[in-house]
Amino acid sequence: MLIDSHAHLDYEYEFSTAEMLASAKAAGIDRVIAIAAAPDSLERVRELSEQFPQIYFTSGIHPHDAKDFTEEIFASVRRLAPHPRCVAVGELGLDYHYDLSDRATQQQALQAQLDFSAEIGKPVVVHTRDADEDTIRFLGDHSRK
């Protein structure tokens, strides 16, 4: 069985989700993990997983959107994570290339999501760009929990 472990199925594409899944199936891909990234994608990836049996999802906030990582958004991440089709926390991490959210805010969102994943025992999906040293430090601390 092949699994696409990182797909952004909630974005706008020229093909429907059903068409993309049919193409994936034809290529031998049996399961797809729809990655949550922004606050508005949290519910959409859950909905896709409930609509299509081959889709699973993650619950988390991308470092670009860390500026929007409010307590309300974190409550949504926490509420969706126990869902039986949610397989990981993320897409979390650090992105110092674009700095669409300031670095301190990215680090706070990353730490909160890492702590949450340890609390519930789910793996994480990590995004890192131009932040390798800090990402490794955060993940190293996380792995010792």
Side-chain angles (χ1 to χ4, degrees):
M1 175 187 308
L2 292 178
I3 299 172
D4 180 340
S5 65
H6 195 114
H8 291 283
L9 296 177
D10 63 305
Y11 292 4
E12 293 291 323
Y13 296 107
E14 88 180 74
F15 303 104
S16 71
T17 302
E19 290 170 315
M20 287 189 289
L21 291 173
S23 293
K25 181 68 173 170
I29 298 170
D30 298 304
R31 302 282 187 272
V32 178
I33 300 174
I35 304 297
D40 63 348
S41 71
L42 291 167
E43 287 294 335
R44 288 198 314 250
V45 295
R46 180 200 50 81
E47 290 167 0
L48 287 169
S49 79
E50 292 174 350
Q51 183 178 1
F52 298 96
Q54 64 271 53
I55 296 178
Y56 293 80
F57 74 98
T58 68
S59 184
I61 300 297
H62 191 282
H64 288 334
D65 296 295
K67 64 189 173 299
D68 301 320
F69 191 71
T70 62
E71 191 53 46
E72 179 183 354
I73 296 301
F74 194 24
S76 294
V77 169
R78 288 191 303 261
R79 179 179 50 77
L80 291 170
H83 190 287
R85 299 190 67 80
C86 182
V87 296
V89 176
E91 177 175 2
L92 51 79
L94 301 171
D95 191 313
Y96 295 169
H97 183 77
Y98 293 110
D99 283 326
L100 296 180
S101 293
D102 72 75
R103 293 177 183 191
T105 300
Q106 289 183 52
Q107 291 174 6
Q108 291 168 353
L110 172 60
Q111 187 63 61
Q113 292 176 94
L114 288 173
D115 290 345
F116 176 62
S117 78
E119 176 187 322
I120 65 170
K122 288 201 176 184
V124 294
V125 174
V126 178
H127 170 97
T128 186
R129 186 166 186 189
D130 294 342
D132 294 346
E133 188 174 306
D134 283 348
T135 301
I136 289 168
R137 178 174 49 81
F138 275 92
L139 293 176
D141 292 346
H142 175 66
S143 70
R144 289 186 278 283
K145 290 184 179 180

